Amino acid sequence: MRIRQTFRSPVMTGLLLAGVLGSSLNARADSGFAGSWFAASALTPAYQALAAGDSALAWQYLLSAVRAQSVPVSAWQPLYQAILEESECGRLLPSVTESPASLSLQQRSSGEHQAFQVRWSSAADQAMRLEGASTTVRLMPDAAAVSVANHAKQEAENIELESAELSAPLPSGVYQITRSVLSSNPSEQQIVAAPSAGISAGPSTGTASILLTPWPQQRWVQLDGQGNRLQLTPPVTVRSCPAVSLQWQWFDAEYRLLGAPWPIRLNAQGTAQLPETIPAKAVWLSAVVTQTRYQGQLRIAEQQRLTLPLRWVRSAQGEQ
């Protein structure tokens, strides 16, 4: 095996050393120290491919190991991050879609209410524009035919889909993405599913699969203990990935977005500085923290959102 001399991050070098060392130690599992590396043995092919500079092949091996449930999350998640770092945040990995698309995993909080939701957006093709057509995108766990994301509405040029509210985030693991288009007109009725119609699937393992990591345990955006100040603890940006986004969004009484989002600025204590002006018709203010990665042309975003009423905003502005 040919080992590259340099990597994009020191984390990568450490992980590869751990993987290679773990593989050799696994052969001597009679010692307690060697046993601690046992879980990494199924990832050895991924480490080897990554060391040889083939992040796409490392990705396929990683998917196979996670799909087989042969390694715990604590073993594969750091390797996944290393693959992202070595593949331009996943842009060089096999793509699930044939054109740019977005999958958004959201946690939304407002007062005591909290819910999770899955959203999908992509360009609408000819099948989607059929009269009376409805489109469904499903995330399918390999081990069970369970649909978690369903259609909501369609636009002329783009399709925007959202799931019903979920009480918990999606479990981590490998998911298949399928899409179907159904027309209400019997003469035009058709069902289009992966691998056609914009969702690609190739002969190699995992090209129609995505990998979801565990939902973050830490709240990225929340009120302080007294409920008077907004505290933001954004995640660390993965090397080679876009910077974590911190944004304000104003909404009217019907939850329609008012104007364009704008950046949230933090003071030295990590407290968000509230907007100085309030748009006309504004009723709600959302603080949104978004972390982004890619798998080929598919953008995968994890987002935490806290929505506050205008009365809280006015009260908090008076205390700033």
Side-chain angles (χ1 to χ4, degrees), residues 222-234:
Q222 60 185 335
L223 294 176
D224 63 12
Q226 290 71 42
N228 297 326
R229 296 184 181 276
L230 198 64
Q231 297 286 347
L232 277 81
T233 312

Side-chain angles (χ1 to χ4, degrees), residues 40-264:
S41 62
L43 298 175
T44 299
Y47 284 119
Q48 292 174 336
L50 205 52
D54 195 337
S55 57
L57 182 59
W59 169 252
Q60 303 295 350
Y61 282 129
L62 174 60
L63 286 184
S64 295
V66 176
R67 184 182 290 111
Q69 299 182 342
S70 56
V71 289
V73 172
S74 59
W76 64 255
Q77 192 169 10
L79 178 57
Y80 177 40
Q81 178 175 329
I83 291 174
L84 290 177
E85 293 176 347
E86 294 295 307
S87 62
E88 297 183 9
C89 197
R91 292 180 179 89
L92 302 181
L93 296 179
S95 187
V96 179
T97 59
E98 297 173 352
S99 58
S102 177
L103 175 69
S104 180
L105 311 172
Q106 301 183 359
Q107 177 181 356
R108 297 185 289 112
S109 302
S110 178
E112 297 182 355
H113 178 73
Q114 175 179 283
F116 297 85
Q117 194 171 49
V118 180
R119 294 192 174 189
W120 172 276
S121 63
S122 63
D125 58 23
Q126 184 176 2
M128 294 178 181
R129 296 191 181 102
L130 293 174
E131 183 178 356
S134 63
T135 302
T136 301
V137 172
R138 292 185 176 90
L139 293 179
M140 307 288 286
D142 287 354
V146 178
S147 173
V148 295
N150 216 328
H151 80 281
K153 61 181 179 179
Q154 293 174 255
E155 306 291 346
E157 298 298 328
N158 297 285
I159 182 167
E160 303 284 344
L161 305 106
E162 60 186 22
S163 72
E165 289 189 349
L166 307 172
S167 60
L170 297 182
S172 63
V174 178
Y175 288 78
Q176 296 286 339
I177 295 183
T178 65
R179 195 203 73 181
S180 62
V181 180
L182 184 62
S183 174
S184 59
N185 187 336
S187 64
E188 297 178 334
Q189 190 163 335
Q190 59 175 304
I191 295 179
V192 184
S196 60
I199 296 181
S200 55
S204 57
T205 303
T207 53
S209 301
I210 64 169
L211 179 60
L212 299 187
T213 56
W215 191 256
Q217 294 296 315
Q218 184 180 38
R219 287 287 190 93
W220 297 343
V221 53
Q222 60 185 335
L223 294 176
D224 63 12
Q226 290 71 42
N228 297 326
R229 296 184 181 276
L230 198 64
Q231 297 286 347
L232 277 81
T233 312
V236 176
T237 298
V238 175
R239 188 183 179 95
S240 82
C241 289
V244 173
S245 170
L246 310 177
Q247 291 185 327
W248 292 117
Q249 293 179 349
W250 285 105
F251 294 88
D252 65 12
E254 302 299 323
Y255 288 95
R256 291 180 295 235
L257 183 64
L258 299 175
W262 61 90
I264 295 177

